[in-house]
Amino acid sequence: MRLLRENPDRVEVTIYASNVDPSAAALSVCDVSAIEPRYVSNEEYAQFALDFCRTHRIDVLIPPRRLDALAGRGADFAAIGTSLMCSPLWAVQALTDKVRTYEIAGAAGIPVPPWREARDADEFCAAVDELSLGADTLCIKPSGEFSAFGFRILDDRPLTMANLRVAPEPVASVDAVAAAMRRAAEEGEFVPPLLVMPFLQDPEISIDCLSAPGGELLMGIARAKRGRFRLLLDDPALVDIARKLVERFELSYLTNVQLRYRAGEPVLLEVNPRPSAGLFHTAFADVNLPWAAVRLLLQGDSGLHRPPRLGACLAVAEAVMEVAAGLDGQLPGSVRRRSADLVPN
């Protein structure tokens, strides 16, 4: 939001932000806040977004979620005067499924880790047995989720006092995961397909990408993440991996590629067809990617004519800011919103 407000063209912007959670921090610092409907179908969500954009004369919609509901609806939004910043629907659908992501990326010659998909306890145990033949520690994650939801490191070692004296890790035993899958199946509960793969090595590399419609990468800024530190990398080989992925999936505007290392070589972790949560770190490269994306969407020109400044080391620290409390003095998340409408932050 700060980068959009402090844009180099000095255009005054009004930011509408929405969330299903009334206590979301973004709702306290935007210009107009709104609550999104929860647990609605894609069609209902798309209609909600269209109605809101029409009512509030929204110029640009930058969705960070529910992309599968909005991608492919660019003409509908254009008809009401709103420009939708989104990649193609087929790419959004493919990248929401990690199995399809790895299949497509691997076929394009992009390095991917070994993986197996497991839909029940027997397949899970077989995948663990097969992948355990290597020297890797294994992990699991739901193959259709994004972010770190459902991620676990597989570890069958007994708990020790040393474990209890350090910060907890997302660890689960093979037997516990298999038992949970069997129990869910017996009780008729949905068992999401799990991706079984090696637990990849640090540092995690996050590459924020700006690309033109059709997948032409205009700028990629790689950030190495280790603890509280971020290093803006000057490594063309990493950006080239992102370039190939952006081209293959025909990604548009702001997207993000994540890599980790296996045996010392970078491999694909995931591709997000949306801006990353850490996109604002790229401001330290002396570029304004969010505003460049808006310009690209509206004018066909990003306005970026200089290479980014790379090599900076950043420390991520907690920040405190003052926000408006409710009229009754309560926290923002506990007060009634004046608007029942929306738009993504």
Side-chain angles (χ1 to χ4, degrees), residues 6 14 21 24 52 61 68 71 85 87 110 114 140 187 198-199 207 213 229 247 250 257 277-278 290 327 331 339-340:
E6 298 176 2
T14 301
D21 180 4
F52 181 88
L61 174 59
D68 55 342
M85 187 181 293
S87 290
I110 293 160
I140 58 169
E187 296 174 358
F199 178 48
I207 307 172
F229 294 95
E247 290 177 352
E250 301 178 349
V257 172
L327 297 177
L331 293 174
S339 171

Side-chain angles (χ1 to χ4, degrees), residues 80-132:
I80 62 171
T82 300
S83 296
L84 175 65
M85 187 181 293
C86 197
S87 290
L89 178 59
W90 77 266
V92 169
Q93 292 174 334
L95 294 173
T96 302
D97 183 336
K98 290 184 175 63
V99 169
R100 288 187 64 195
T101 299
Y102 284 170
E103 288 175 341
I104 295 172
I110 293 160
V112 299
W115 54 270
R116 298 292 183 271
E117 186 181 41
R119 296 180 175 273
D120 57 37
D122 291 339
E123 289 185 356
F124 167 70
C125 291
V128 170
D129 288 343
E130 181 180 357
L131 294 177
S132 293

Side-chain angles (χ1 to χ4, degrees), residues 34-342:
I35 307 302
E36 292 187 2
R38 189 189 293 265
Y39 307 129
V40 296
S41 68
N42 281 351
E43 184 60 35
E44 290 172 309
Y45 185 82
Q47 190 59 54
F48 159 74
L50 282 163
D51 291 343
F52 181 88
C53 290
R54 181 187 299 107
T55 299
H56 295 276
R57 299 180 179 179
I58 300 299
D59 296 304
V60 175
L61 174 59
I62 309 175
R65 56 189 170 274
R66 298 301 301 262
L67 300 185
D68 55 342
L70 302 179
R73 304 291 296 265
D76 296 334
F77 282 96
I80 62 171
T82 300
S83 296
L84 175 65
M85 187 181 293
C86 197
S87 290
L89 178 59
W90 77 266
V92 169
Q93 292 174 334
L95 294 173
T96 302
D97 183 336
K98 290 184 175 63
V99 169
R100 288 187 64 195
T101 299
Y102 284 170
E103 288 175 341
I104 295 172
I110 293 160
V112 299
W115 54 270
R116 298 292 183 271
E117 186 181 41
R119 296 180 175 273
D120 57 37
D122 291 339
E123 289 185 356
F124 167 70
C125 291
V128 170
D129 288 343
E130 181 180 357
L131 294 177
S132 293
L133 296 177
D136 300 291
T137 298
L138 301 182
C139 65
I140 58 169
K141 62 184 73 174
S143 64
E145 293 289 336
F146 62 89
S147 193
F149 299 136
F151 169 78
R152 295 293 187 274
I153 300 170
L154 297 178
D155 190 346
D156 289 326
R157 294 174 297 180
L159 187 69
T160 67
M161 292 306 300
N163 299 137
L164 298 177
R165 290 196 296 266
V166 297
E169 291 186 327
V171 172
S173 72
V174 172
D175 288 345
V177 174
M181 296 179 78
R182 289 193 178 97
R183 185 164 55 251
E186 291 169 356
E187 296 174 358
E189 181 182 350
F190 172 68
V191 179
L194 294 179
L195 203 65
V196 184
M197 58 183 286
F199 178 48
L200 301 173
Q201 302 160 344
D202 284 333
E204 180 174 313
I205 308 298
S206 181
I207 307 172
D208 292 303
C209 301
L210 174 69
S211 57
E216 179 191 358
L217 184 69
L218 303 178
M219 183 169 290
I221 300 179
R223 294 178 282 122
K225 303 193 292 185
R226 193 184 292 275
R228 290 184 175 271
F229 294 95
R230 307 288 184 268
L231 181 63
L232 302 183
L233 299 173
D234 187 359
D235 191 334
L238 297 177
V239 175
D240 191 54
I241 294 175
R243 183 187 312 279
K244 293 175 181 177
L245 287 161
V246 167
E247 290 177 352
R248 179 62 186 85
F249 288 97
E250 301 178 349
L251 299 180
S252 306
Y253 308 109
L254 296 174
T255 57
N256 177 259
V257 172
Q258 294 183 16
L259 311 174
R260 274 186 178 253
Y261 287 84
R262 183 169 185 263
E265 297 296 326
V267 296
L268 178 62
L269 183 61
E270 63 183 27
V271 183
N272 296 307
R274 56 176 173 79
S276 71
L279 177 64
F280 65 95
H281 295 150
T282 59
F284 290 90
D286 294 342
V287 295
N288 188 327
L289 288 187
W291 187 250
V294 171
R295 278 189 53 127
L296 182 64
L297 177 66
L298 297 180
Q299 303 176 24
D301 172 24
S302 70
L304 297 177
H305 304 297
R306 296 182 305 173
R309 180 178 70 91
L310 302 175
C313 184
L314 315 177
V316 179
E318 183 178 15
V320 178
M321 68 182 74
E322 183 174 352
V323 298
L327 297 177
D328 53 3
Q330 297 183 27
L331 293 174
S334 63
V335 300
R336 183 185 300 274
R337 296 286 170 188
R338 289 181 296 174
S339 171
D341 315 288
L342 130 60

Side-chain angles (χ1 to χ4, degrees), residues 1-25:
M1 292 185 189
R2 178 175 59 81
L3 290 173
L4 289 173
R5 290 188 176 111
E6 298 176 2
N7 65 81
D9 294 330
R10 300 183 180 181
V11 174
E12 184 175 346
V13 299
T14 301
I15 297 176
Y16 292 72
S18 70
N19 202 291
V20 296
D21 180 4
S23 65

